[in-house]
Amino acid sequence: MWISKDFSGKTFTTSKMAATMGSLVSYGSDSDSDNETQCNGSPEKIDPEALAHLQPLKSGQTLSLALLNSAPEVAVKEAVETGVHLDPSLKEVTFNPSYETMFAPEFGPVNPYRSQQMAAPRNMLSGYAEPAHVNDFMFEQQRRTFSTFGYALDPSVDTSQISSNSYIGAVDEAEKKKGLTVFEVGPKKTDKRKKVQGGEADDIDNYLGPWAKYVDEKDGAKPSEEEQKELDEITAKRQKKGRNEEEAPAEEKTILHVKDAYDYQGRSYLHVPQDVGINLRTADTPDKCYLPKKQIHVWTGHTKGVSAIRLFPVSGHLLLSCSMDCKIKLWEVYNERRCVRTFIGHSKAVRDICFNNTGSQYMSAGYDRYLKLWDTETGQCISRFTNRKVPYCVKFNPDEDKQNLFVAGMSDKKIVQWDVRTGEVVQEYDRHLGAVNTITFVDENRRFVSTSDDKSLRVWEWDIPVDFKYIAEPSMHSMPAVTLSPNGKWLACQSMDNQILIFGAQNRFRLNKKKIFKGHMVAGYACQVDFSPDMSYVVSGDADGKLNIWDWKTTKLYHRIKAHDKVCISALWHPHETSKVITCGWDGQIKLWD
């Protein structure tokens, strides 16, 4: 019989529980069945399964598991007390311990990687150092002596009885240096060097004072007789060379490469062709331009790098190029694309060229310090100009009534204005702080913009030698190439921080921060920039010889072509063509792309 407790604490047997459950079951039945039961008087049988959960659980077979001690033996208090393990804090051991007992770990299992040497006691990272009473200065002195000379005093030796055995390390070196430390070794002060006696202070002629030479000082500054002779020859050569440079300029000559200078009607090659499919006589530009895709022609003839190219004014049917081979060449852009004429007259590389408005004449600027005026048709040199400085850029005044005037940016920071008729300097614009790189006429030719190595941009009124606008920011770099847009509103400046900056060209000359063209490498090279005639693209060469084309509106780099083996120094978009671009490079080639 099982005894249970209800929640109230009363105890009752399982037979009572069964009776209670029976009455609950009979209570749940309907009233008719109740009446029948009362009439019959016999008790109803209870289903044993209904009371199965109240029966005690039968005990089954139990599973016994063997206990395994998987952890290795480690030191515990009882083991230390019984002598199985040694207490590391003990100074004395009263029994003879075994090897295993002495080298057993204090706690935990044995480290398989821990050698006997590692297990040995140590008080510093590299091992065990015996305590020695050395002050900080002595220790540092010996440490430095050991690292410098390779020897040091043995700290365990008594310092009062120092001998050759008292040193550790390079003992031989210690004997040689007599055990001196780094603080003791050094040049010993000897007697002062004596100076030559130079009279008394009141003797003005013979008094040498502090400028007197030392007694043991040798006079080695003077060259020997042979060396003096050699030096005299070198200086004489240099003086002669300097005089030669100031002599007359190189002789000018020209070579005509075409069979006939004039056609059957008596027209020269300057005559604009009418059989090329487009009207070159007007200044009309194409409505829509497209990206050039392939190379269609190469002009070869220059033996060194090409430094600048210029198209014939208005028509663009001829191309003028100047090179580092000291020559200037005129090429056809249409039909057979021949080399028409070569102009020879500079003794050094030609830096810049510029046509006048009609194209009948052009100016050339060379590193031989001469500016020369040429006749495009006959190849004759009309006149020469120089101020003994190197001209970096040259420009005719674009006004029709000022075609006799031109300006040149010089290496001596000046912009010099000449009159072709008299050959004299009529104006000097001297405000830049570095060599002048570019001159660009703006605002209907009333003003011009100049850039310089001084990293500034200056705007000048024509014939007034004071700049009325000066633009220079600490973040600005020098801009050695500037181009005016076809609509005359913008200046594209090639900046030496690998960007093309756009400045307004009408009133305020402000930097347009929304239009900055990036993605090419030009640092160190004056790569010329140009616009497409419809103002939809910007083109420029770069230091890798690539032609880069950007979209004007979005400033995105649209297209890149490997154009030259060396620097692509200039790129010109033909003013009458939808997709023709001319490039030149330091590989000596001029290429036409379409």
Side-chain angles (χ1 to χ4, degrees):
M1 185 183 293
W2 288 72
I3 298 170
S4 300
K5 272 190 180 183
D6 67 353
F7 292 112
S8 61
K10 293 176 183 177
T11 57
F12 55 94
T13 59
T14 47
S15 58
K16 275 187 178 181
M17 281 171 66
T20 312
M21 291 300 295
S23 61
L24 285 167
V25 169
S26 62
Y27 180 76
S29 60
D30 56 350
S31 58
D32 292 338
S33 61
D34 286 348
N35 294 336
E36 284 177 13
T37 310
Q38 285 172 0
C39 294
N40 294 336
S42 61
E44 191 181 338
K45 289 182 180 179
I46 298 162
D47 186 8
E49 286 183 13
L51 302 173
H53 65 284
L54 298 172
Q55 299 298 322
L57 288 169
K58 292 177 182 177
S59 62
Q61 288 182 341
T62 57
L63 184 71
S64 61
L65 291 171
L67 291 172
L68 291 173
N69 186 9
S70 58
E73 283 190 33
V74 293
V76 291
K77 190 179 178 184
E78 290 79 9
V80 172
E81 284 173 1
T82 53
V84 178
H85 287 274
L86 276 177
D87 186 355
S89 62
L90 285 175
K91 300 291 181 188
E92 291 181 2
V93 181
T94 54
F95 64 95
N96 194 8
S98 65
Y99 175 85
E100 287 79 14
T101 306
M102 286 175 72
F103 287 95
E106 290 178 34
F107 299 101
V110 178
N111 182 352
Y113 304 107
R114 188 178 175 87
S115 63
Q116 187 177 344
Q117 188 181 355
M118 288 172 70
R122 54 181 180 171
N123 59 2
M124 56 188 294
L125 198 65
S126 57
Y128 187 83
E130 291 180 21
H133 299 284
V134 182
N135 64 37
D136 291 345
F137 173 76
M138 288 295 291
F139 179 82
E140 188 63 21
Q141 184 188 48
Q142 294 301 324
R143 188 190 69 76
R144 288 195 189 183
T145 306
F146 188 81
S147 63
T148 308
F149 301 136
Y151 65 84
L153 200 62
D154 189 345
S156 60
V157 174
D158 187 5
T159 51
S160 60
Q161 301 170 350
I162 293 173
S163 66
S164 59
N165 299 327
S166 305
Y167 293 96
I168 51 172
V171 180
D172 298 339
E173 191 71 22
E175 285 179 5
K176 197 193 290 183
K177 284 197 165 51
K178 296 178 181 176
L180 291 173
T181 63
V182 281
F183 298 141
E184 292 164 341
V185 174
K188 289 189 177 178
K189 287 187 179 179
T190 54
D191 296 331
K192 269 191 170 183
R193 288 174 76 189
K194 289 182 179 177
K195 286 193 174 187
V196 177
Q197 294 298 317
E200 296 299 322
D202 56 356
D203 186 0
I204 294 169
D205 295 329
N206 300 319
Y207 180 65
L208 299 172
W211 302 278
K213 289 182 181 177
Y214 290 103
V215 174
D216 58 344
E217 189 178 343
K218 290 179 182 177
D219 194 8
K222 284 185 180 178
S224 63
E225 285 183 17
E226 288 179 13
E227 287 172 338
Q228 187 62 46
K229 201 174 182 182
E230 202 176 319
L231 285 167
D232 291 341
E233 283 177 16
I234 292 165
T235 49
K237 272 184 189 176
R238 282 183 182 170
Q239 285 168 0
K240 192 178 178 184
K241 192 181 176 184
R243 283 196 295 271
N244 289 346
E245 280 182 1
E246 290 176 20
E247 286 170 11
E251 187 189 343
E252 297 88 7
K253 57 181 179 178
T254 180
I255 303 164
L256 183 68
H257 298 286
V258 292
K259 191 177 179 183
D260 301 310
Y262 302 95
D263 63 4
Y264 69 99
Q265 286 185 321
R267 299 176 301 190
S268 73
Y269 50 75
L270 296 189
H271 179 75
V272 180
Q274 296 169 346
D275 56 347
V276 294
I278 54 172
N279 184 9
L280 299 175
R281 291 175 177 273
T282 63
D284 294 340
T285 57
D287 298 327
K288 181 85 175 78
C289 289
Y290 304 95
L291 294 173
K293 291 287 194 297
K294 61 183 180 188
Q295 176 188 307
I296 58 171
H297 186 72
V298 181
W299 288 284
T300 54
H302 284 295
T303 55
K304 288 185 182 176
V306 181
S307 46
I309 49 175
R310 299 284 181 266
L311 282 164
F312 197 81
V314 183
S315 65
H317 72 289
L318 294 172
L319 178 74
L320 191 68
S321 65
C322 65
S323 166
M324 297 171 197
D325 62 7
C326 314
K327 293 173 185 171
I328 301 161
K329 288 181 181 283
L330 191 66
W331 316 81
E332 289 178 333
V333 175
Y334 295 98
N335 300 326
E336 293 174 52
R337 301 195 174 104
R338 301 168 295 178
C339 178
V340 179
R341 193 183 278 279
T342 301
F343 306 84
I344 304 163
H346 285 280
S347 59
K348 289 186 181 175
V350 188
R351 167 77 188 225
D352 196 20
I353 43 178
C354 178
F355 276 113
N356 66 359
N357 282 6
T358 59
S360 60
Q361 295 175 350
Y362 72 87
M363 287 294 307
S364 65
Y367 282 102
D368 59 359
R369 304 180 184 193
Y370 276 92
L371 293 138
K372 298 195 175 185
L373 179 65
W374 302 81
D375 188 296
T376 316
E377 190 176 321
T378 64
Q380 181 192 352
C381 179
I382 300 163
S383 51
R384 306 164 201 86
F385 309 89
T386 183
N387 71 342
R388 309 290 340 122
K389 297 289 181 286
V390 177
Y392 283 167
C393 58
V394 61
K395 279 280 193 301
F396 272 104
N397 187 315
D399 269 355
E400 288 297 335
D401 60 339
K402 294 190 183 76
Q403 284 290 284
N404 60 306
L405 299 170
F406 72 90
V407 281
M410 313 302 285
S411 59
D412 67 343
K413 313 169 193 175
K414 292 178 184 176
I415 299 167
V416 184
Q417 184 179 317
W418 269 279
D419 191 330
V420 170
R421 296 171 299 191
T422 61
E424 291 177 359
V425 174
V426 292
Q427 188 62 270
E428 276 190 355
Y429 305 83
D430 184 12
R431 301 279 284 182
H432 274 294
L433 306 172
V436 181
N437 292 319
T438 68
I439 296 168
T440 313
F441 282 88
V442 295
D443 195 16
E444 295 175 353
N445 311 319
R446 289 194 293 266
R447 299 167 176 171
F448 64 90
V449 175
S450 63
T451 62
S452 160
D453 284 348
D454 63 10
K455 304 180 185 179
S456 73
L457 183 145
R458 292 175 192 258
V459 189
W460 315 74
E461 294 277 355
W462 177 256
D463 225 8
I464 297 171
V466 180
D467 51 324
F468 78 89
K469 189 84 175 177
Y470 168 69
I471 299 165
E473 294 288 335
S475 60
M476 274 172 68
H477 290 66
S478 62
M479 298 178 289
V482 178
T483 305
L484 185 67
S485 65
N487 62 11
K489 289 182 180 178
W490 306 101
L491 285 167
C493 305
Q494 186 78 266
S495 179
M496 283 295 93
D497 57 347
N498 303 319
Q499 295 186 129
I500 296 171
L501 304 177
I502 306 295
F503 287 88
Q506 286 178 318
N507 284 321
R508 302 180 72 176
F509 297 92
R510 267 195 169 175
L511 174 66
N512 188 339
K513 290 181 181 175
K514 289 182 182 176
K515 292 209 185 296
I516 294 174
F517 300 89
K518 299 177 185 176
H520 62 320
M521 195 71 147
V522 286
Y525 301 97
C527 297
Q528 196 64 45
V529 190
D530 201 17
F531 293 86
S532 64
D534 68 340
M535 283 285 294
S536 57
Y537 300 109
V538 175
V539 291
S540 167
D542 69 11
D544 301 326
K546 295 189 181 80
L547 171 65
N548 301 274
I549 305 170
W550 290 267
D551 180 51
W552 168 255
K553 281 187 179 176
T554 62
T555 72
K556 282 183 183 174
L557 182 59
Y558 262 8
H559 199 45
R560 184 180 274 162
I561 305 167
K562 178 66 177 168
H564 295 272
D565 295 333
K566 293 182 182 175
V567 183
C568 178
I569 203 70
S570 185
L572 291 178
W573 200 301
H574 197 286
H576 296 288
E577 297 283 353
T578 55
S579 60
K580 279 192 173 68
V581 175
I582 302 163
T583 62
C584 70
W586 283 10
D587 55 2
Q589 294 185 330
I590 303 164
K591 297 185 180 182
L592 179 62
W593 303 84
D594 196 4

